[in-house]
Amino acid sequence: MSTSSLPTPPRAKRVEHVREFHGDRVVDPYEWLRDKDDPEVIAHLEAENAYTTARTEHLEGLRGAIYDEMVARVQQTDLGVPVQHAGWWYYTRIAEGEQYTRECRVAARPELPHGGRPALEGGQPPEGEQILVDGNVLGAGQEFFALGGSETTHDGTRLAYAVDLAGDERYALTVTDLGSDATRTGPVGDVVDQSVTDIGYGLAFSLDGRFVFYTRWTESWRQHQVWRHEVGRPSDEDVLVHEEPDELYWVGVGSSRDDRWIIIVTASKTTSEVRLLDAADPTGEPRLVAPRREGVEYDVEPAGDRLFIVHNAADVDYELAVAPIDSTDPADWVNVLGPTPGERIVGCDAFDDFAVVSLRSGGLAGLRVIDLTATLPGSPVGRVRELAWHEPLYTLSTGNNPDPASTSVQVVVESFVTPRSVYDVDLSDLATTGVGEWTLLKQQQVLGGVDLTRYVQRREWATAPDGTLVPVSIVHRQGSSRTAPHQACSTATAPTSTAWTRGSRCCGCRCSTAASSTPSPTCAVAARWVAGGTTRASCWPSATPSPTSSPPPTCSSSRAGSHRIALRQKGLRQEVCSWAPSRTSHPTASGRSTPASRSSTRSTPSSDRSCR
C-alpha cells in the first residue's frame, strides 16, 4: 500500500475542560470522550474502527491462521477436575462449539474405586449427571453473559448463583432447589427466588440454607455493604448486616471451609479487619476478630476450635498465628510460623489434621504443610514440611479442597514448560512418614503437535541502574547456547507466557495453549519481573547472585493490595480448560477452597477463559 493511498486517521477534536482536585489543576481537552452515549463520541469511535480495519485488512489471512492454530491446540470437549463434597462430585464440563460451561454434579459411589470419580467417556457426559447451571442456556441470545459467584448449601440441596447480562459486574441473584434425588438426571433445580438484583461478588448461605448473604456496590463500584436475604421473601425485606463508610475500604463475604462461619472482610490496600458470624445463628451480630490498625493486614481461616491468622503486625513478610475460635484480641495470637529471609507468607488453608501455608520464596510460589495431629515442645502445632517441586521455575498453589476432614490436599502446579497440572497429595501419615504420594488428577492438554520437552527454562538476574537485581525468567529450545545471541520473541508468540507483577500481586509462571508459535533454535523468551510485590522486596539486594542463579534474600514490603481476602467460595466456578489467572482482583472474603465446580475463587470474582 503506497503512502498516498493510506486513509487519513481520524483526529479527535479538542474541547477546553479544566478540573481541579485537592489544589491540582488538570487541563483535559478530551474529557468530552468520557460520555459513551454521546452520538459524536460514538461517531468518532466508529471512524477509528474503520481506520483500523483499513490499515490492517491485509493481515486478515494471518489473523485467521493464528486463530485456527490457537483453536487447534485447545481440547474443545473437556471436563474439569471433579471435587467431592457432601456425597456429590461437582465439576464443570464444556463441549466443542459451546461458548460457556455447564456446572454439574453426579452422586458419589463409595463402593467404586475413587468413589466413582466422574470422567468423560468417548466425549459423553458421565452417567447420572445433573446439570445445575448451563451457561449456554442462560447466555443464549444475550450480547453479554458472565456467571459470577455461585454457592451450594451445606447439604447440597439448594444453589445460589449470580448472573451479569450487561458487563457492569452488577449481578442478579437466582436461588434454585436442587433436591437430593440422585436418580434425577439432566437439568435440575427449580427456581425459588429471583428477587435480588444489583449485587456484587461473594455469596454465603446460612447453615440451614434459609438465608443467603451478598454484597452491594456504591455508585463508584466499591463493595461497601453485606446484606442478608431470606430465600423466598421480597428483597425489600432484606437486612443490612454490615456497612463500610470509608471510601478506602472494600467489603467481601464468604463462608468457612466447614460452613460453620460467615466471614465478612473489610480491607483497604494496606489495612484489614475480619468479622465472623455463626452460620447457625444467621440473624445474630458478627463478631470482630481484631479491630483495624493502620498498616496491619490479617486473614482469618477458621478450623475447628482455632483460628489460623496470617498477619503482618510484626513482620512485613507476614507470620502465621493461631488463636482460640472465639478470640477478639490480637493478644491471643500465638505465632507458629514466620518467614525466613527471602520468603513471604501469603495464606493458609487449615484442615482437621494439617494446615497448608502458601508462600513465596525468592519469587517462586510454594507450599508448606504443618502437622496438627501432634505438637512440638513450646508450640501449639507439629512439624513443618515442604511440598517440593522439581523445576527451577514454577507456580505451586492449593486447589479445590472443600472437605476439612480430608487426608489429602489438592495442589496445582504450572511452569513455562509444564501445562497446568492438578495433583492430589497424600498427607494421611504426615506425623511419621511425611508427605506421601502425588497423584496426577488432570493435566491441561496441549494439542497441535507441541512438544514441551524440547524446551528448558531458567532464571537470570539483571542489574537495574540503581543496582537493584531484577529476576528474568527465560525459556528456550534445548541445545541452544546460553551465550549465543537470540532473536527476541514476545510472549504473545511463544508457547509459554506469563503475567508479571502489578502492584504487589504476582501471577507467576504459566503455560499458555493460546500461543501461536514456539521458540525456534534462535529465539528465546524472557519475562522480566520488574514491578516488585511478592517477587521482590523493600530491601532487595544489590549483591551479585551466585553462578547458579539462585535467588538472593528478600525483605518484602507491604503487600499493597495483594491482601488475600478473595473468597475461596463454595461455588460452581471451576475453569475446565481455561487455566489463566483471574483478570480481576476485587476482594470478596477469606474462606475456603470449595467444591467445584466448587472451585477456588481466590481473588477471582470472574475468570479469564482463555481457552475459548
Side-chain angles (χ1 to χ4, degrees), residues 63 90 111 141 162 218 272 390 460 542:
R63 283 197 295 267
Y90 291 85
E111 73 277 7
T218 64
S272 64
H390 54 79
E460 303 290 350
S542 301

Side-chain angles (χ1 to χ4, degrees), residues 20 287 381 457 503 522:
E20 294 188 15
R287 167 172 54 87
V381 299
Q457 58 180 351
T522 60

